[in-house]
Amino acid sequence: MSDSIPSTSSVTPSSSVSRTSQFTKYKACFYDLLTWKNLYFSGGAFAGTLVALYLFKYVNVVKLLFNFAYIALGTAIAVEFAGRTIKGGPGFVSSFRGSGNYFVISKEVVDPLFNEFTVLVNFLLIEFQQIVFVENFNLTVFAFVVSYFTYILVHYVSLWSLTVFGVIVSFSAPPIYIKFQKEIDAQVAVATKIVDEKTGELKVLANEYFGKSAGIAKGYVNEALDKVGYKRNLPPVPVVEPTATEPAPKTVPVAAE
Protein backbone atom coordinates (compact mmCIF):
# COMPACT_ATOMS: atom_id res chain seq x y z
CA MET A 1 0.00 0.00 0.00
CA SER A 2 2.86 2.32 0.75
CA ASP A 3 4.26 1.68 -2.75
CA SER A 4 1.20 3.30 -4.32
CA ILE A 5 1.67 6.58 -2.42
CA PRO A 6 4.27 8.86 -4.03
CA SER A 7 6.89 10.22 -1.71
CA THR A 8 7.10 13.91 -0.87
CA SER A 9 10.46 14.27 -2.58
CA SER A 10 9.01 12.96 -5.85
CA VAL A 11 5.98 15.28 -5.78
CA THR A 12 7.35 18.56 -4.50
CA PRO A 13 9.91 19.33 -7.26
CA SER A 14 7.48 18.72 -10.11
CA SER A 15 4.74 20.77 -8.46
CA SER A 16 7.22 23.54 -7.71
CA VAL A 17 8.43 23.61 -11.32
CA SER A 18 4.84 23.63 -12.56
CA ARG A 19 3.93 26.47 -10.21
CA THR A 20 6.99 28.47 -11.28
CA SER A 21 6.15 28.02 -14.93
CA GLN A 22 2.58 29.14 -14.29
CA PHE A 23 3.79 32.23 -12.41
CA THR A 24 6.17 33.02 -15.27
CA LYS A 25 3.24 32.74 -17.64
CA TYR A 26 1.23 35.28 -15.65
CA LYS A 27 4.21 37.64 -15.41
CA ALA A 28 4.61 37.51 -19.16
CA CYS A 29 0.87 37.97 -19.60
CA PHE A 30 0.74 41.12 -17.46
CA TYR A 31 3.90 42.45 -19.11
CA ASP A 32 2.45 41.95 -22.60
CA LEU A 33 -0.86 43.44 -21.48
CA LEU A 34 0.60 46.65 -20.01
CA THR A 35 3.22 47.14 -22.74
CA TRP A 36 0.66 46.74 -25.55
CA LYS A 37 2.42 43.83 -27.24
CA ASN A 38 -0.99 42.77 -28.53
CA LEU A 39 -2.79 45.95 -29.53
CA TYR A 40 -6.28 44.45 -29.63
CA PHE A 41 -5.93 42.56 -26.36
CA SER A 42 -4.49 45.53 -24.44
CA GLY A 43 -6.97 47.97 -26.00
CA GLY A 44 -9.89 45.72 -25.17
CA ALA A 45 -8.72 45.24 -21.59
CA PHE A 46 -8.16 48.99 -21.17
CA ALA A 47 -11.54 49.94 -22.63
CA GLY A 48 -13.32 47.16 -20.74
CA THR A 49 -11.81 48.27 -17.43
CA LEU A 50 -12.86 51.89 -17.98
CA VAL A 51 -16.36 50.86 -19.06
CA ALA A 52 -16.69 48.64 -15.98
CA LEU A 53 -15.60 51.51 -13.73
CA TYR A 54 -18.10 53.90 -15.31
CA LEU A 55 -20.89 51.33 -15.04
CA PHE A 56 -20.00 50.74 -11.40
CA LYS A 57 -20.25 54.47 -10.69
CA TYR A 58 -23.20 55.59 -12.81
CA VAL A 59 -25.29 52.42 -13.17
CA ASN A 60 -27.08 50.75 -10.28
CA VAL A 61 -26.21 47.19 -11.26
CA VAL A 62 -28.21 45.55 -8.45
CA LYS A 63 -31.32 47.53 -9.33
CA LEU A 64 -30.83 46.69 -12.99
CA LEU A 65 -30.55 42.96 -12.22
CA PHE A 66 -33.76 42.92 -10.18
CA ASN A 67 -35.48 44.96 -12.88
CA PHE A 68 -34.48 42.43 -15.51
CA ALA A 69 -35.49 39.56 -13.21
CA TYR A 70 -39.05 40.72 -12.61
CA ILE A 71 -39.58 41.59 -16.28
CA ALA A 72 -38.29 38.19 -17.43
CA LEU A 73 -40.30 36.27 -14.81
CA GLY A 74 -43.45 38.30 -15.50
CA THR A 75 -43.13 37.66 -19.22
CA ALA A 76 -42.61 33.93 -18.58
CA ILE A 77 -45.69 33.81 -16.36
CA ALA A 78 -47.83 35.61 -18.96
CA VAL A 79 -46.68 33.35 -21.80
CA GLU A 80 -47.19 30.23 -19.66
CA PHE A 81 -50.68 31.34 -18.62
CA ALA A 82 -51.63 32.08 -22.22
CA GLY A 83 -50.38 28.66 -23.33
CA ARG A 84 -52.30 26.85 -20.62
CA THR A 85 -55.44 28.79 -21.51
CA ILE A 86 -55.14 28.03 -25.21
CA LYS A 87 -53.92 24.43 -25.08
CA GLY A 88 -55.58 23.40 -21.85
CA GLY A 89 -52.39 21.67 -20.68
CA PRO A 90 -48.79 22.60 -20.05
CA GLY A 91 -48.00 26.07 -21.30
CA PHE A 92 -45.41 27.20 -23.76
CA VAL A 93 -42.69 27.89 -21.19
CA SER A 94 -43.04 24.70 -19.14
CA SER A 95 -43.05 22.57 -22.30
CA PHE A 96 -40.03 24.33 -23.77
CA ARG A 97 -37.56 22.12 -21.94
CA GLY A 98 -39.47 19.01 -22.88
CA SER A 99 -38.15 15.74 -21.52
CA GLY A 100 -34.52 16.84 -21.67
CA ASN A 101 -32.27 17.33 -18.70
CA TYR A 102 -31.70 20.61 -16.94
CA PHE A 103 -28.87 22.84 -17.98
CA VAL A 104 -25.86 22.14 -15.75
CA ILE A 105 -22.21 23.11 -15.72
CA SER A 106 -19.82 20.29 -16.34
CA LYS A 107 -17.10 19.56 -13.79
CA GLU A 108 -14.58 19.32 -16.62
CA VAL A 109 -15.31 22.97 -17.41
CA VAL A 110 -15.23 24.26 -13.81
CA ASP A 111 -12.06 22.51 -12.61
CA PRO A 112 -9.64 24.13 -15.10
CA LEU A 113 -11.17 27.55 -14.45
CA PHE A 114 -10.93 27.08 -10.68
CA ASN A 115 -7.33 25.88 -10.97
CA GLU A 116 -6.37 28.89 -13.07
CA PHE A 117 -8.08 31.21 -10.61
CA THR A 118 -6.20 29.60 -7.73
CA VAL A 119 -2.86 30.00 -9.53
CA LEU A 120 -3.67 33.65 -10.28
CA VAL A 121 -4.54 34.38 -6.64
CA ASN A 122 -1.34 32.67 -5.46
CA PHE A 123 0.68 34.65 -7.99
CA LEU A 124 -0.73 37.95 -6.73
CA LEU A 125 -0.25 36.87 -3.12
CA ILE A 126 3.41 35.95 -3.69
CA GLU A 127 4.07 39.23 -5.52
CA PHE A 128 2.55 41.12 -2.58
CA GLN A 129 4.74 39.25 -0.10
CA GLN A 130 7.84 39.98 -2.17
CA ILE A 131 6.99 43.68 -1.94
CA VAL A 132 6.35 43.54 1.81
CA PHE A 133 9.57 41.64 2.57
CA VAL A 134 11.63 43.93 0.26
CA GLU A 135 12.85 41.10 -1.95
CA ASN A 136 12.76 43.55 -4.86
CA PHE A 137 14.02 46.85 -3.46
CA ASN A 138 13.02 49.04 -6.43
CA LEU A 139 9.53 47.57 -6.55
CA THR A 140 9.07 48.10 -2.81
CA VAL A 141 10.20 51.73 -3.12
CA PHE A 142 7.77 52.22 -6.01
CA ALA A 143 4.93 50.69 -3.98
CA PHE A 144 5.81 52.97 -1.05
CA VAL A 145 5.72 56.08 -3.24
CA VAL A 146 2.41 55.06 -4.81
CA SER A 147 0.79 54.25 -1.47
CA TYR A 148 2.04 57.48 0.10
CA PHE A 149 0.77 59.75 -2.67
CA THR A 150 -2.50 57.79 -2.80
CA TYR A 151 -2.92 58.39 0.93
CA ILE A 152 -2.38 62.12 0.36
CA LEU A 153 -4.62 62.39 -2.69
CA VAL A 154 -7.49 60.38 -1.23
CA HIS A 155 -8.20 63.34 1.08
CA TYR A 156 -8.89 65.57 -1.92
CA VAL A 157 -9.92 63.24 -4.75
CA SER A 158 -12.51 60.48 -4.75
CA LEU A 159 -11.36 56.89 -4.72
CA TRP A 160 -13.13 56.26 -8.04
CA SER A 161 -11.20 59.09 -9.72
CA LEU A 162 -7.94 57.74 -8.33
CA THR A 163 -8.80 54.29 -9.65
CA VAL A 164 -9.50 55.65 -13.15
CA PHE A 165 -6.25 57.64 -13.02
CA GLY A 166 -4.36 54.55 -11.86
CA VAL A 167 -5.75 52.47 -14.74
CA ILE A 168 -4.78 55.16 -17.27
CA VAL A 169 -1.25 55.43 -15.84
CA SER A 170 -0.87 51.64 -15.71
CA PHE A 171 -1.67 51.28 -19.40
CA SER A 172 0.20 54.40 -20.59
CA ALA A 173 3.38 54.57 -18.47
CA PRO A 174 5.00 51.22 -19.54
CA PRO A 175 4.91 51.88 -23.32
CA ILE A 176 6.15 55.45 -22.78
CA TYR A 177 9.04 54.14 -20.67
CA ILE A 178 9.94 51.50 -23.26
CA LYS A 179 9.91 54.09 -26.05
CA PHE A 180 12.06 56.62 -24.16
CA GLN A 181 13.97 54.21 -21.93
CA LYS A 182 17.45 55.63 -22.62
CA GLU A 183 16.41 59.22 -21.93
CA ILE A 184 14.46 58.28 -18.81
CA ASP A 185 17.29 56.10 -17.44
CA ALA A 186 19.77 58.94 -18.03
CA GLN A 187 17.60 61.40 -16.11
CA VAL A 188 17.08 58.87 -13.32
CA ALA A 189 20.86 58.34 -13.09
CA VAL A 190 21.42 62.11 -12.84
CA ALA A 191 18.73 62.42 -10.18
CA THR A 192 20.20 59.49 -8.26
CA LYS A 193 23.66 61.09 -8.36
CA ILE A 194 22.28 64.38 -7.07
CA VAL A 195 20.41 62.60 -4.30
CA ASP A 196 23.56 60.69 -3.28
CA GLU A 197 25.58 63.94 -3.18
CA LYS A 198 22.96 65.72 -1.09
CA THR A 199 22.74 62.71 1.20
CA GLY A 200 26.51 62.77 1.72
CA GLU A 201 26.42 66.49 2.50
CA LEU A 202 23.62 65.97 4.97
CA LYS A 203 25.59 63.19 6.66
CA VAL A 204 28.64 65.46 7.05
CA LEU A 205 26.51 68.30 8.43
CA ALA A 206 24.73 65.91 10.76
CA ASN A 207 28.03 64.53 12.09
CA GLU A 208 29.36 68.06 12.67
CA TYR A 209 26.15 69.16 14.36
CA PHE A 210 25.97 66.13 16.60
CA GLY A 211 29.67 66.46 17.44
CA LYS A 212 29.21 70.07 18.53
CA SER A 213 26.06 69.19 20.42
CA ALA A 214 27.84 66.33 22.18
CA GLY A 215 30.71 68.68 23.19
CA ILE A 216 28.32 71.30 24.54
CA ALA A 217 26.33 68.66 26.42
CA LYS A 218 29.54 67.24 27.89
CA GLY A 219 30.56 70.72 29.08
CA TYR A 220 27.21 71.22 30.77
CA VAL A 221 27.46 67.83 32.44
CA ASN A 222 30.98 68.52 33.71
CA GLU A 223 29.93 71.92 35.01
CA ALA A 224 27.00 70.38 36.85
CA LEU A 225 29.26 67.72 38.36
CA ASP A 226 31.71 70.40 39.54
CA LYS A 227 28.89 72.29 41.22
CA VAL A 228 27.85 69.26 43.24
CA GLY A 229 31.47 68.65 44.27
CA TYR A 230 32.12 65.55 42.17
CA LYS A 231 35.88 65.16 41.55
CA ARG A 232 36.57 64.03 38.01
CA ASN A 233 39.64 62.17 36.75
CA LEU A 234 41.05 61.79 40.30
CA PRO A 235 41.88 58.58 42.15
CA PRO A 236 39.31 57.61 44.70
CA VAL A 237 39.92 59.02 48.16
CA PRO A 238 40.61 56.24 50.65
CA VAL A 239 38.09 55.93 53.39
CA VAL A 240 39.62 56.36 56.86
CA GLU A 241 38.09 53.99 59.30
CA PRO A 242 37.42 55.49 62.73
CA THR A 243 39.91 54.33 65.42
CA ALA A 244 38.60 52.84 68.56
CA THR A 245 39.28 55.17 71.55
CA GLU A 246 39.73 53.82 75.06
CA PRO A 247 37.15 55.02 77.56
CA ALA A 248 38.44 57.60 80.11
CA PRO A 249 38.90 56.24 83.65
CA LYS A 250 36.08 56.98 85.98
CA THR A 251 36.89 59.53 88.72
CA VAL A 252 36.07 58.34 92.19
CA PRO A 253 34.97 61.17 94.47
CA VAL A 254 37.09 61.49 97.64
CA ALA A 255 35.23 61.99 100.81
CA ALA A 256 36.24 65.09 102.82
CA GLU A 257 37.74 64.50 106.21
Side-chain angles (χ1 to χ4, degrees), residues 110-141:
V110 176
D111 287 344
L113 296 177
F114 183 76
N115 291 334
E116 287 294 327
F117 177 75
T118 304
V119 174
L120 177 60
V121 171
N122 289 331
F123 166 74
L124 297 176
L125 184 61
I126 290 175
E127 291 293 324
F128 174 75
Q129 292 178 78
Q130 289 178 351
I131 293 175
V132 172
F133 295 110
V134 200
E135 295 184 15
N136 189 335
F137 183 78
N138 295 329
L139 186 60
T140 303
V141 172

Side-chain angles (χ1 to χ4, degrees), residues 116-187:
E116 287 294 327
F117 177 75
T118 304
V119 174
L120 177 60
V121 171
N122 289 331
F123 166 74
L124 297 176
L125 184 61
I126 290 175
E127 291 293 324
F128 174 75
Q129 292 178 78
Q130 289 178 351
I131 293 175
V132 172
F133 295 110
V134 200
E135 295 184 15
N136 189 335
F137 183 78
N138 295 329
L139 186 60
T140 303
V141 172
F142 176 75
F144 163 75
V145 173
V146 171
S147 60
Y148 175 76
F149 281 103
T150 304
Y151 168 75
I152 297 298
L153 293 175
V154 79
H155 292 84
Y156 308 100
V157 185
S158 65
L159 184 60
W160 181 85
S161 301
L162 287 177
T163 305
V164 173
F165 177 75
V167 171
I168 295 175
V169 171
S170 299
F171 278 89
S172 59
I176 293 175
Y177 172 76
I178 292 176
K179 186 175 182 180
F180 303 99
Q181 183 174 2
K182 293 182 179 180
E183 293 80 358
I184 294 175
D185 289 343
Q187 296 299 323

Side-chain angles (χ1 to χ4, degrees), residues 46-117:
F46 179 60
T49 304
L50 291 180
V51 169
L53 289 174
Y54 274 96
L55 289 177
F56 179 78
K57 182 176 177 61
Y58 295 106
V59 178
N60 193 338
V61 180
V62 177
K63 180 180 178 180
L64 188 64
L65 288 176
F66 280 108
N67 187 18
F68 174 77
Y70 88 79
I71 291 176
L73 293 175
T75 303
I77 292 172
V79 173
E80 177 69 15
F81 180 76
R84 292 188 179 189
T85 302
I86 295 172
K87 297 193 307 180
F92 297 111
V93 178
S94 60
S95 60
F96 176 76
R97 188 176 61 85
S99 59
N101 296 325
Y102 290 98
F103 296 102
V104 294
I105 300 176
S106 175
K107 189 174 183 295
E108 287 74 13
V109 176
V110 176
D111 287 344
L113 296 177
F114 183 76
N115 291 334
E116 287 294 327
F117 177 75

Side-chain angles (χ1 to χ4, degrees), residues 192-208:
T192 304
K193 184 178 179 181
I194 295 174
V195 170
D196 292 338
E197 292 177 354
K198 295 298 181 182
T199 303
E201 294 177 0
L202 290 176
K203 287 182 179 179
V204 173
L205 293 175
N207 291 332
E208 293 179 355

